[in-house]
Amino acid sequence: MTVSSEEPLLTIRELRTHFFTSQGIVRAVDGIDLRVDREQTVGLVGESGCGKSTVAMTIMKLIPMPGKVISGSIVFNGKDLLKLSEDETRRLRGRELAMVFQDPMTYLNPVMKVGDQISECVVLHQETPKKDAKKEAIKLLEKVGIPSASRVVDYYPHQLSGGMRQRVLIAMALSGNPLLLIADEPTTALDVTVQAQILKLIEGLKEDYHSSLLLITHDLGIVASMCDKVYVMYAGKIVEQGDVLDLFENPKHPYTSALISCSLSIDEYKKDLFAIGGTVPNLINPPSGCRFHPRCPEAKDICHIEEPQPVKIDGEHIVSCWLHMQKGG
Amino acid sequence: MRDEGDKLVCEKSVMLKKGRIEVTLYILRSNWKRYKKNKAGVLGLFLVFFFIVVALGAPLISRVDPLRTMVGPPSVQPSLTYPMGTDDLGRDVFSGFVHGARISLFVGIMTALMSAGIGVALGAIAGYKGGKIDSAIMMITNMFLVVPSFFLCLVIVAVFGATIGNVIVVIAVLSWPSTARLIRADFMSLKETEFVEAARAIGASDLDIVLKEILPNALTSIIVNTSLLVANSILVMAGLDFLGLGDPNVPSWGKMLMNAQPFLRQSWWMALFPGIAILLTVMGYNLVGDGLNDLLNPRLKER
């Protein structure tokens, strides 16, 4: 199958990933569409528990135990991921698809030297002979901005700081020169001072490697500074999507507006922090109609009853909200 | 000209070799520094080392055949000629003490390695694969655990003959289940860790994950467990010998104890020295196990 470079790198259609727990079916991802173009940075934002990470794990095909993909398709680089065998997926992981995780403390093997962990990836992906792998590991460590890399290769993870470990994990993710890098809240566990460095690093490396980036976060500031396109996710569904500038300047969905008002800024001193009332709904029994209606300040009668369909505002900007459905017709 | 060139190359390779040796020495030295902090472990290592030296040097340390009777008069107290006395048949107890170390260590180490091999392999498969494979392996393991293993040992050795080979195989076959359970538990918790998930996300195969990610993390328990297995095997073998089911052609501490039993009140030395030997060897391996646990756990390294 030939793949034209014009084709989007990743297209997710109507994806549903449910978890079959003893309490009931958790609809963590309930019919989402998502697209990542080549060399694009796409943000996926939402509160904790809205299903962002499940999307990432589904793309990697690493859904934890009671989870299962119910329907939908994930076409990545011309291949339908959900139809690939376990062996084929394994060959894809790391080489074409790579992931940077949330908590760098626990994602490194505690009894292996950092250098060995990276060289293992290098040997796996680049078919480099073992003895050159260490050199390659040092090179990668230098690339992710670790000072005195030739010494750090012989360190164990516990000898590194959080920021350094995240750099190591990024180095491992990049060892296979992936087409798509999924970063699942890569800076949540880090100090604010280190966050900016790591983000800048990821952005720079993404440019160097001509990769695409799917950035999963709840921090709108990060999205605004890094992404080309944003998807706003709420309770397993995409509620709004669009170009970053468009969406931030002109949010259509009440949830998006609320998220934006929640984000802190030093410039404008707010005495009372804004918070969205209520919590993310229970995904075993999601609210009827629009899932946001119990917390929505502008909810109308119809919101309780029927689910809104996506409406195109302009170009890429699409929103699923009754406020706009009526206007659009 | 050419000679000089060759000489240069030669020197270089010597230097390189020297470098490698120095690096190895450095690693040994730095590990020893950390191991040394555990005083009990050092004592254990000393005991193990002592008995290994005794075992290897047995024919030099005592030239007397430990099985030969009437080497001296029977039941002689420890003296300069017979450092540990003689037994009721005039055999030299010291010679038995020295030569008994050989067989104890041989059996202990062989059984420990065999049983660790079986236990680790089965435990790893069961823990990593889970599901039906796990159930099947665990069923077999439990079957072995239910049977009182020492009595099974007795029966098997009694039926198949008391040769060293049989003893080794029997002890190994009966002692792997505890290792398997231990390793299975380790694998079950380790396969859920995030670094295994990360490895999977990077495209590592099951074999890679088991060998490179999980096994090194389980190595501490494997090594510690193996050194405890050595101790246990030595004890079981001493038990078999004590009950008269040891290889009769091999000098062993257990058999010396058995011989000493009727003479406990007259010739205390017959029982004391082999008893001490068993005690010290078993204790040595146990202490080394503890020491290695401290040494190999990287989370304790920087303390």
Side-chain angles (χ1 to χ4, degrees):
Chain A
M1 198 193 300
T2 53
V3 184
S4 80
S5 57
E6 299 303 313
E7 223 173 277
L9 181 64
L10 176 78
T11 318
I12 298 179
R13 275 202 196 93
E14 274 300 305
L15 181 71
R16 282 170 218 275
T17 305
H18 295 177
F19 288 88
F20 297 88
T21 67
S22 51
Q23 281 93 36
I25 301 168
V26 180
R27 297 173 171 85
V29 177
D30 208 12
I32 70 160
D33 293 291
L34 193 143
R35 205 182 82 220
V36 181
D37 288 331
R38 279 163 206 277
E39 298 189 38
Q40 196 183 32
T41 303
V42 172
L44 183 60
V45 292
E47 284 166 282
S48 319
C50 73
K52 298 169 298 194
S53 296
T54 309
V55 173
M57 290 330 247
T58 310
I59 299 172
M60 296 299 291
K61 285 184 73 178
L62 288 173
I63 316 163
M65 237 333 255
K68 224 173 175 183
V69 178
I70 299 302
S71 65
S73 69
I74 303 175
V75 177
F76 172 76
N77 201 20
K79 291 168 282 240
D80 189 342
L81 290 187
L82 299 177
K83 289 198 181 108
L84 293 184
S85 71
E86 180 51 35
D87 225 36
E88 287 166 315
T89 339
R90 190 168 56 69
R91 252 171 276 143
L92 219 65
R93 288 186 200 131
R95 288 184 206 199
E96 297 185 24
L97 270 169
M99 190 156 176
V100 176
F101 295 93
Q102 191 165 352
D103 186 358
M105 305 296 162
T106 53
Y107 280 97
L108 285 169
N109 190 339
V111 300
M112 251 171 117
K113 282 176 187 168
V114 163
D116 292 341
Q117 302 197 38
I118 301 175
S119 358
E120 201 191 315
C121 299
V122 171
V123 172
L124 210 60
H125 300 313
Q126 303 181 355
E127 275 129 32
T128 318
K130 263 204 180 121
K131 56 179 194 228
D132 298 336
K134 190 169 176 184
K135 269 185 221 146
E136 191 64 32
I138 295 175
K139 233 185 264 168
L140 275 164
L141 282 176
E142 275 165 357
K143 208 170 240 165
V144 293
I146 286 186
S148 52
S150 50
R151 228 181 49 223
V152 175
V153 281
D154 287 324
Y155 281 4
Y156 286 94
H158 70 270
Q159 292 169 301
L160 302 178
S161 69
M164 297 258 269
R165 291 189 210 185
Q166 192 60 291
R167 283 172 198 269
V168 170
L169 279 169
I170 293 171
M172 284 167 71
L174 288 173
S175 64
N177 197 356
L179 292 171
L180 175 68
L181 184 66
I182 302 172
D184 186 2
E185 311 216 14
T187 56
T188 312
L190 301 177
D191 280 353
V192 194
T193 43
V194 186
Q195 279 188 11
Q197 297 172 11
I198 294 290
L199 290 171
K200 214 171 259 169
L201 174 73
I202 293 179
E203 203 174 15
L205 290 170
K206 182 215 141 217
E207 300 285 318
D208 289 353
Y209 283 78
H210 302 288
S211 312
S212 304
L213 176 65
L214 178 61
L215 183 66
I216 295 172
T217 176
H218 53 244
D219 189 335
L220 289 174
I222 295 175
V223 172
S225 64
M226 284 180 76
C227 298
D228 306 314
K229 204 175 159 189
V230 204
Y231 288 83
V232 180
M233 199 167 170
Y234 184 79
K237 286 186 179 296
I238 301 287
V239 292
E240 189 169 4
Q241 65 188 74
D243 187 72
V244 170
L245 291 177
D246 238 22
L247 194 125
F248 279 144
E249 265 171 31
N250 195 7
K252 294 293 183 196
H253 199 285
Y255 180 62
T256 316
S257 332
L259 270 185
I260 293 172
S261 347
C262 284
S263 61
L264 299 176
S265 156
I266 296 179
D267 302 336
E268 36 178 314
Y269 174 75
K270 289 186 230 165
K271 198 162 185 191
D272 294 311
L273 294 178
F274 182 84
I276 308 176
T279 51
V280 180
N282 178 350
L283 291 178
I284 294 176
N285 266 322
S288 58
C290 170
R291 290 184 176 184
F292 189 55
H293 83 256
R295 303 168 76 187
C296 183
E298 296 172 66
K300 295 182 291 186
D301 290 340
I302 182 118
C303 303
H304 299 246
I305 305 157
E306 210 176 314
E307 210 175 303
Q309 295 306 308
V311 178
K312 199 178 234 177
I313 302 295
D314 53 64
E316 298 266 281
H317 198 162
I318 296 172
V319 68
S320 305
C321 180
W322 281 111
L323 291 175
H324 303 283
M325 276 191 93
Q326 262 126 350
K327 270 185 220 158
Chain B
M1 270 305 276
R2 181 179 275 176
D3 275 4
E4 270 176 36
D6 281 352
K7 212 172 157 195
L8 246 167
V9 169
C10 212
E11 268 174 21
K12 228 180 189 174
S13 71
V14 167
M15 264 163 65
L16 263 176
K17 237 182 218 159
K18 208 173 151 198
R20 206 169 296 148
I21 290 166
E22 265 165 17
V23 167
T24 320
L25 276 179
Y26 171 76
I27 293 170
L28 280 180
R29 220 176 289 142
S30 65
N31 278 331
W32 170 240
K33 227 179 182 174
R34 276 190 286 122
Y35 185 85
K36 199 161 71 169
K37 285 181 195 152
N38 184 338
K39 293 284 176 277
V42 175
L43 175 67
L45 198 64
F46 172 76
L47 289 172
V48 167
F49 196 67
F50 172 77
F51 279 103
I52 289 176
V53 169
V54 169
L56 292 179
L60 299 176
I61 298 171
S62 171
R63 286 161 193 275
V64 185
D65 180 351
L67 295 174
R68 225 180 96 198
T69 52
M70 297 317 276
V71 172
S75 303
V76 175
Q77 279 209 1
S79 63
L80 278 178
T81 14
Y82 308 108
M84 293 181 184
T86 61
D87 69 2
D88 56 316
L89 297 176
R91 284 176 292 211
D92 186 11
V93 177
F94 178 68
S95 180
F97 177 90
V98 169
H99 285 86
R102 293 201 122 178
I103 202 64
S104 281
L105 288 185
F106 179 69
V107 170
I109 290 170
M110 288 306 285
T111 38
L113 289 182
M114 267 176 75
S115 108
I118 305 173
V120 169
L122 288 178
I125 296 170
Y128 187 75
K129 281 288 176 192
K132 279 182 191 150
I133 299 174
D134 178 33
S135 309
I137 292 178
M138 275 351 259
M139 199 130 86
I140 299 170
T141 310
N142 287 332
M143 268 162 53
F144 273 90
L145 280 173
V146 198
V147 183
S149 62
F150 188 74
F151 292 103
L152 196 57
C153 257
L154 281 180
V155 172
I156 297 176
V157 172
V159 171
F160 291 101
T163 62
I164 284 298
N166 279 354
V167 169
I168 289 175
V169 172
V170 165
I171 300 177
V173 164
L174 290 176
S175 62
W176 65 265
S178 62
T179 314
R181 287 179 70 105
L182 187 81
I183 298 308
R184 169 180 173 260
D186 262 14
F187 267 66
M188 276 168 75
S189 65
L190 283 168
K191 78 168 177 188
E192 302 293 338
T193 53
E194 276 129 347
F195 57 85
V196 168
E197 191 182 324
R200 211 166 269 147
I202 228 122
S205 63
D206 280 352
L207 195 68
D208 273 337
I209 289 174
V210 166
L211 292 183
K212 291 185 184 154
E213 302 287 335
I214 303 184
L215 203 58
N217 276 286
L219 206 60
T220 315
S221 20
I222 295 175
I223 290 179
V224 173
N225 187 57
T226 307
S227 88
L228 297 179
L229 275 175
V230 175
N232 183 53
S233 315
I234 291 177
L235 265 184
V236 173
M237 191 195 67
L240 286 175
D241 283 331
F242 182 73
L243 294 176
L245 286 165
D247 194 329
N249 304 314
V250 174
S252 80
W253 293 331
K255 210 164 55 196
M256 289 165 78
L257 278 180
M258 179 186 75
N259 292 339
Q261 214 185 351
F263 307 103
L264 262 184
R265 296 179 61 186
Q266 299 95 321
S267 328
W268 50 267
W269 53 90
M270 275 174 70
L272 181 71
F273 294 107
I276 285 179
I278 293 171
L279 172 77
L280 291 184
T281 334
V282 172
M283 190 171 88
Y285 278 99
N286 277 312
L287 293 178
V288 165
D290 275 0
L292 285 176
N293 190 18
D294 289 357
L295 176 74
L296 295 172
N297 194 339
R299 273 157 291 217
L300 299 173
K301 245 178 201 175
E302 294 306 303
R303 283 205 205 137

